[in-house]
């Protein structure tokens, strides 16, 4: 790694270096933040964009996929804000507290920043960095994985984002919805960094949606750090429906306290190139995570889900289920690593990745890894890939159900397992409709 | 009068292996035909070819439903025209709720007949009525299609689907396999309730015992891919006594 990097720098790497050199105080933060940015960019610069010879990025060769570094998005104009507001539809009927992020900038005027429940604090990352908020400074980057280029770039260029704090014992019933909208008028990149800290015994439901309006090339790099205190619970869902002009890098970094509960679901139907990274640190004894996701792809879409679960304390439980439905020439990737530290006895971790290949030319790559240093654990993983079951299809058709509808039913059934654990009923039904929309849009039979 | 089903000189093969070798069969409305025969005679293949399952190649002959050739039709089109196959081994479909499946099937068939789709509550009412007669409770219907059902429950569910969809031609493929005597009675009663002057049945079975409960009008013996003998219901008893050996020799 790193050999001849400077000699072989790609236009994208050169572009990023130039953009960083010209930042010049354009991004928020005091000297401490500036130092953090410089350290992060230096770490990135020493290796550059990852390529297929970098093990963790073997299937998502950013060096060849990202041909150029797009300019940082300008703050949205008033018209852009209106258009984005009118167009955002995902989870609209949910009654959630919406925090709206347009082209990488939080728009407080469109967000529900008032009437916060007791124990809930919401602010913007830009303000927190500018003001040198000590709380943010002490938490930011604590869940950072070692040497991850996407996270380093996010730290180097982070512009805005949300900071959410839930006080100890506070149960926030109303879900919080992070509404990401890209106007997509001009080619742009965004670097949003958010921090969510949920105190001991507190409870929060968090939803995140991504939409793009225009068709201009778009490179969002999203970082979200989540700290879940002892006995706290966080339910999280993400729905990615950006256009196929988007190259979406998302890094989700979670640290869990003792007996903390974390339920995660992510649905990806949009984006040309998507990398969803999840870094889990089960720091406290008896933490319990349920991580599920579904990637529904067609055309030339490429979606990579990479999960790293570090079991660092005894008695933690993890269930991970990921499903990919791959049509046309699309490519799905799952990399999952379960790592169990010597002290993490009685770990119970199970991971499953399954793909349904709807065409001869679709591709699924799966790389499960177990790294176990404790001797009294139960860990397992499994992977399957296959076509739709012809016998089941015939059974449905023999009752009069036409081929495309029969296939849709079977695909929904395949994906269904990843959705069944979502406790919030309206969120679940919105996501089920999103799956149905995807099927409708492509016509499953020739998808 | 145009027969309900007319199978003419049907030849079919799978993976190049000939299974049906010039089979003829005429079923009129109101008739119950039994097709008996040894294992490997091609009985199940006949039911699959009639229902339109992929993988079988018809090399010669034709299959007419009310005078219209079905061979080019998708399985779903055949079903919408009134063909129903009760499977020997009904499929379990995890993740698809039974009620979702039944409503999809009902509405697909209603759509082709130009009838309005049933709302979810209307569909549930209709299913409840039919299910009750077959001793199927609503808890079973809450499960995914056939998942966790015993052999007998699966066959009852098949009979329930048949009653619900009101087909013109019912094909019963070894409906008695895997049934104990009580379940056999329930299923047979369900089938008998559906007998009508407007409906025809083809009951495929290896054993005569099912035909004590579903009494056929006509019994055929099938061997090596064709009908080798046809008679009245007494033929079934004769077969039970003498076995299939003579027909296997004849066919060879």
């Amino acid at each position: 790694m790193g050999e001849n990097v400077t000699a072989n720098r790609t236009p994208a790497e050169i572009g990023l270096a130039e953009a960083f050199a010209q930042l010049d105080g354009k991004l928020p933060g005091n000297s401490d933040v500036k130092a953090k940015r410089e350290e992060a960019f230096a770490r990135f610069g020493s290796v550059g964009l990852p390529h297929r010879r970098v093990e963790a990025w073997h299937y998502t060769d950013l060096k060849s996929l990202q041909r150029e570094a797009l300019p940082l998005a300008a703050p949205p104009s008033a018209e852009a804000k209106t258009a984005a507001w009118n167009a955002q539809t995902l989870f609209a009927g949910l009654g959630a507290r919406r925090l709206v992020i347009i082209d990488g900038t939080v728009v407080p005027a469109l967000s529900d920043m008032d009437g916060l429940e007791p124990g809930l604090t919401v602010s913007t990352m830009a303000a927190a960095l500018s003001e040198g908020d000590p709380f943010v400074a002490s938490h930011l980057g604590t869940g950072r994985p070692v040497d991850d280029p996407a996270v380093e770039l996010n730290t180097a260029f982070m512009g805005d984002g949300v900071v959410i704090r839930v006080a100890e014992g506070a149960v926030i019933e109303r879900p919080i919805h992070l509404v990401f909208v890209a106007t997509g008028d001009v080619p742009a990149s965004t670097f949003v960094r958010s921090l969510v800290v949920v105190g001991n015994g507190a409870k929060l439901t968090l939803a995140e949606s991504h939409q793009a309006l225009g068709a201009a090339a778009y490179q969002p790099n999203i970082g979200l750090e989540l700290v879940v205190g002892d006995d706290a619970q966080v339910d999280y869902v993400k729905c990615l429906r950006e256009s196929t002009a988007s190259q979406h890098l998302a890094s989700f970094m979670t640290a869990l306290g003792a007996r903390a509960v974390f339920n995660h679901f992510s649905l990806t139907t949009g984006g040309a190139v998507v990398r969803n990274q999840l870094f889990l640190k089960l720091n406290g004894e008896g933490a319990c995570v349920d991580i599920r996701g579904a990637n529904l792809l067609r055309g030339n879409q490429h979606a990579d889900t990479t999960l790293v679960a570090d079991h660092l304390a005894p008695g933690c439980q993890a269930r991970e289920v990921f499903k990919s439905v791959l049509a046309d020439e699309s490519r799905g990737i799952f990399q999952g690593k379960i790592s169990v530290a010597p002290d993490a006895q009685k770990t119970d971790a199970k991971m499953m990745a399954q793909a349904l290949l709807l065409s001869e030319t679709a591709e699924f790559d799966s790389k499960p890894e177990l790294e176990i240093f404790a001797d009294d654990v139960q860990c397992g993983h499994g992977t399957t890939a296959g076509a739709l079951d012809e016998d089941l299809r015939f059974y449905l058709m023999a009752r009069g159900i036409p081929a495309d509808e029969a296939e849709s039913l079977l695909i929904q059934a395949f994906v269904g397992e990843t959705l069944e654990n979502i406790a919030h009923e309206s969120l679940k039904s919105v996501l089920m409709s999103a799956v149905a929309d995807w099927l409708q849009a492509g016509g499953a039979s020739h998808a | 009068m145009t027969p309900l089903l007319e199978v003419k000189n049907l030849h079919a093969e799978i993976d190049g292996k000939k299974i049906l070798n010039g089979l003829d069969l005429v079923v009129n409305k109101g008739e119950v035909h039994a097709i008996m025969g040894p294992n490997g005679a091609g009985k199940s293949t006949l039911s699959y070819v009639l229902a339109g399952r992929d993988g079988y190649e018809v090399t010669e002959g034709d299959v007419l439903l009310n005078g219209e050739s079905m061979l080019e039709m998708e399985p779903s089109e055949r079903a919408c025209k009134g063909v129903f196959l009760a499977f020997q081994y009904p499929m379990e479909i995890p993740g698809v709720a039974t009620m979702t499946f039944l409503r999809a099937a009902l509405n697909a068939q209603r759509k082709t007949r130009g009838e309005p789709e049933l709302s979810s509550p209307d569909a549930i009412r209709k299913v409840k009525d039919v299910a009750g007669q077959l001793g199927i409770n609503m808890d079973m219907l809450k499960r995914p299609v056939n998942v966790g059902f015993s052999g007998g429950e699966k066959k009852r569910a098949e009979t329930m689907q048949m009653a619900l969809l009101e087909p013109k031609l019912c094909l019963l493929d070894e409906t008695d396999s895997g049934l104990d005597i009580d379940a056999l009675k329930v299923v047979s009663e369900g089938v008998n309730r559906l007998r009508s002057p407007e409906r025809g049945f083809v009951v495929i079975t290896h054993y005569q015992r099912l035909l004590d409960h579903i009494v056929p009008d006509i019994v055929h013996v099938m061997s090596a891919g064709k009908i080798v003998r046809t008679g009245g219901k007494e033929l079934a008893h004769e077969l039970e006594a003498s076995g299939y050996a003579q027909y296997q020799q004849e066919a060879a």
Side-chain angles (χ1 to χ4, degrees):
Chain A
M1 215 159 64
E3 78 279 17
N4 298 326
V5 167
T6 38
N8 292 327
R9 281 206 302 180
T10 63
E13 287 163 344
I14 294 166
L16 285 165
E18 285 172 2
F20 191 75
Q22 289 158 15
L23 278 182
D24 220 15
K26 267 185 249 166
L27 292 174
N30 58 18
S31 58
D32 288 348
V33 174
K34 196 164 178 244
K36 248 182 195 172
R37 292 182 190 282
E38 276 163 5
E39 285 162 25
F41 196 79
R43 281 191 299 263
F44 167 75
S46 68
V47 291
L49 286 171
H51 47 80
R52 64 190 166 76
R53 289 190 307 281
V54 176
E55 184 63 21
W57 292 78
H58 179 71
Y59 301 103
T60 299
D61 184 336
L62 268 196
K63 216 177 193 107
S64 64
L65 289 167
Q66 285 205 342
R67 294 305 173 107
E68 53 174 344
L70 301 176
L72 291 179
S77 65
E79 299 81 51
K81 286 179 190 169
T82 313
W85 179 249
N86 291 335
Q88 55 89 20
T89 51
L90 275 168
F91 305 139
L94 211 60
R97 176 180 298 286
R98 283 184 285 192
L99 305 176
V100 180
I101 300 152
I102 299 176
D103 288 342
T105 300
V106 179
V107 183
L110 296 177
S111 301
D112 304 317
M113 307 288 259
D114 301 327
L116 299 174
E117 293 91 331
L120 178 65
T121 316
V122 176
S123 57
T124 71
M125 182 60 82
L129 294 176
S130 299
E131 292 157 11
D133 183 332
F135 179 81
V136 170
S138 68
H139 281 89
L140 203 65
T142 49
R144 182 178 71 81
V146 179
D147 290 336
D148 182 79
V151 175
E152 304 297 6
L153 282 176
N154 184 275
T155 305
F157 288 100
M158 60 188 170
D160 205 352
V162 298
V163 178
I164 298 170
R165 292 172 67 176
V166 182
E168 201 166 299
V171 174
I172 310 300
E173 295 287 352
R174 186 182 178 193
I176 294 181
H177 176 196
L178 308 184
V179 186
F180 286 80
V181 184
T183 54
D185 296 332
V186 290
S189 62
T190 58
F191 295 86
V192 173
R193 179 69 158 260
S194 298
L195 174 67
V196 179
V197 180
V198 179
N200 293 348
K203 210 173 162 187
L204 177 71
T205 299
L206 191 62
E208 182 181 330
S209 68
H210 293 265
Q211 279 179 289
L213 307 181
Y218 184 56
Q219 293 173 340
N221 179 324
I222 312 293
L224 175 60
E225 286 181 82
L226 171 67
V227 181
V228 187
D230 294 350
D231 302 296
Q233 177 170 346
V234 174
D235 291 347
Y236 168 87
V237 304
K238 173 176 177 177
C239 184
L240 199 167
R241 283 219 288 208
E242 280 165 353
S243 74
T244 49
S246 159
Q247 296 191 327
H248 183 106
L249 298 179
S251 306
F252 192 102
M253 299 158 267
T254 306
L256 298 159
R259 297 166 306 280
V261 173
F262 177 53
N263 296 311
H264 169 113
F265 170 77
S266 136
L267 174 69
T268 297
T269 60
V273 175
V274 175
R275 166 110 163 174
N276 273 318
Q277 311 196 97
L278 283 108
F279 302 99
L280 298 176
K281 287 197 190 307
L282 294 95
N283 291 326
E285 190 165 351
C288 185
V289 299
D290 188 290
I291 313 288
R292 304 189 193 204
N295 293 342
L296 315 182
L297 311 176
R298 58 167 60 95
N300 289 307
Q301 284 179 288
H302 170 121
D304 172 340
T305 298
T306 292
L307 168 76
V308 181
D310 287 327
H311 288 258
L312 301 165
C316 293
Q317 185 186 312
R319 291 289 174 274
E320 286 125 11
V321 182
F322 287 88
K323 306 246 183 176
S324 301
V325 179
L326 306 170
D328 306 330
E329 322 249 287
S330 64
R331 188 170 182 200
I333 293 131
F334 174 78
Q335 303 188 107
K337 182 174 181 179
I338 297 173
S339 172
V340 182
D343 292 340
Q345 298 293 358
K346 305 284 181 194
T347 290
D348 175 4
K350 287 188 182 63
M351 181 165 72
M352 174 58 83
Q354 295 181 300
L356 192 52
L357 300 161
L358 299 180
S359 86
E360 293 287 321
T361 45
E363 180 176 333
F364 180 59
D365 302 289
S366 179
K367 191 178 73 179
E369 290 175 273
L370 298 178
E371 196 178 63
I372 300 170
F373 296 105
D375 54 16
D376 183 15
V377 301
Q378 284 192 44
C379 290
H381 66 78
T383 288
T384 65
L388 273 179
D389 188 320
E390 281 301 319
D391 290 341
L392 300 188
R393 185 174 171 274
F394 172 61
Y395 187 73
L396 294 171
M397 289 183 76
R399 297 298 175 254
I401 300 171
D404 55 351
E405 198 182 335
E407 286 168 14
S408 287
L409 277 172
L410 293 174
I411 293 168
Q412 281 172 298
F414 175 76
V415 173
E417 187 189 355
T418 61
L419 287 152
E420 67 191 16
N421 204 38
I422 297 171
H424 196 285
E425 283 299 328
S426 338
L427 260 183
K428 191 203 279 191
S429 76
V430 168
L431 290 161
M432 284 166 82
S433 315
V435 172
D437 287 352
W438 182 83
L439 288 165
Q440 196 104 45
S445 60
H446 59 99
Chain B
M1 194 180 73
T2 313
L4 173 61
L5 173 71
E6 192 174 6
V7 180
K8 294 200 285 198
N9 188 32
L10 189 64
H11 289 72
E13 53 186 61
I14 183 162
D15 299 330
K17 192 177 173 228
K18 287 183 179 147
I19 311 281
L20 300 182
N21 293 298
L23 187 134
D24 293 290
L25 178 67
V26 174
V27 178
N28 291 302
K29 284 179 186 171
E31 292 176 353
V32 175
H33 290 239
I35 297 183
M36 303 183 70
N39 290 326
K43 302 190 300 293
S44 283
T45 295
L46 174 63
S47 72
Y48 287 144
V49 171
L50 295 180
R53 188 175 196 154
D54 269 356
Y56 295 91
E57 198 192 342
V58 173
T59 52
E60 209 182 324
D62 206 349
V63 177
L64 309 176
L65 184 75
N66 288 315
E68 186 185 5
S69 176
M70 294 203 296
L71 289 179
E72 294 303 313
M73 292 180 195
E74 290 279 342
S76 52
E77 292 174 69
R78 299 180 195 207
C80 290
K81 289 199 183 279
V83 177
F84 183 95
L85 169 64
F87 282 63
Q88 183 179 2
Y89 303 109
M91 308 292 172
E92 296 190 9
I93 314 184
V96 176
T98 301
M99 197 51 80
T100 306
F101 160 65
L102 294 175
R103 185 169 166 236
L106 271 169
N107 281 338
Q109 299 213 9
R110 291 174 70 92
K111 219 161 135 186
T112 54
R113 293 196 296 263
E115 295 167 18
E117 293 195 2
L118 288 179
S119 68
S120 197
D122 285 348
I124 291 171
R125 250 191 301 279
K126 198 170 158 68
V127 170
K128 227 175 181 169
D129 283 351
V130 176
Q133 297 171 352
L134 286 154
I136 293 171
N137 61 37
M138 290 313 275
D139 285 342
M140 261 173 81
L141 299 174
K142 281 178 190 147
R143 282 186 255 167
V145 178
N146 291 326
V147 173
F149 287 16
S150 69
E153 285 173 331
K154 282 180 186 167
K155 295 297 170 77
R156 268 190 281 163
E158 291 288 287
T159 313
M160 188 263 286
Q161 291 174 29
M162 188 160 76
L164 193 66
L165 296 170
E166 303 175 69
K168 296 191 176 85
L169 174 67
C170 305
L171 309 169
L172 277 63
D173 185 10
E174 307 259 2
T175 291
D176 49 335
S177 72
L179 289 190
D180 61 30
I181 199 72
D182 293 328
L184 186 67
K185 271 186 188 156
V186 173
V187 168
S188 303
E189 279 164 22
V191 171
N192 286 331
R193 261 200 299 276
L194 292 174
R195 290 178 76 151
S196 96
E198 292 305 308
R199 191 170 280 143
F201 288 82
V202 176
V203 180
I204 292 171
T205 181
H206 188 78
Y207 300 105
Q208 179 262 335
R209 67 168 192 169
L210 176 67
L211 304 180
D212 287 342
H213 300 277
I214 303 171
V215 179
D217 301 303
I218 298 164
V219 174
H220 308 275
V221 181
M222 187 172 170
S223 179
K226 57 185 174 189
I227 305 288
V228 294
R229 196 172 159 199
T230 296
K233 62 185 174 213
E234 65 288 348
L235 180 55
H237 292 277
E238 186 190 318
L239 287 167
E240 189 73 4
S242 63
Y244 292 116
Q246 55 168 318
Y247 300 105
Q248 279 166 305
Q249 280 158 11
E250 269 174 39

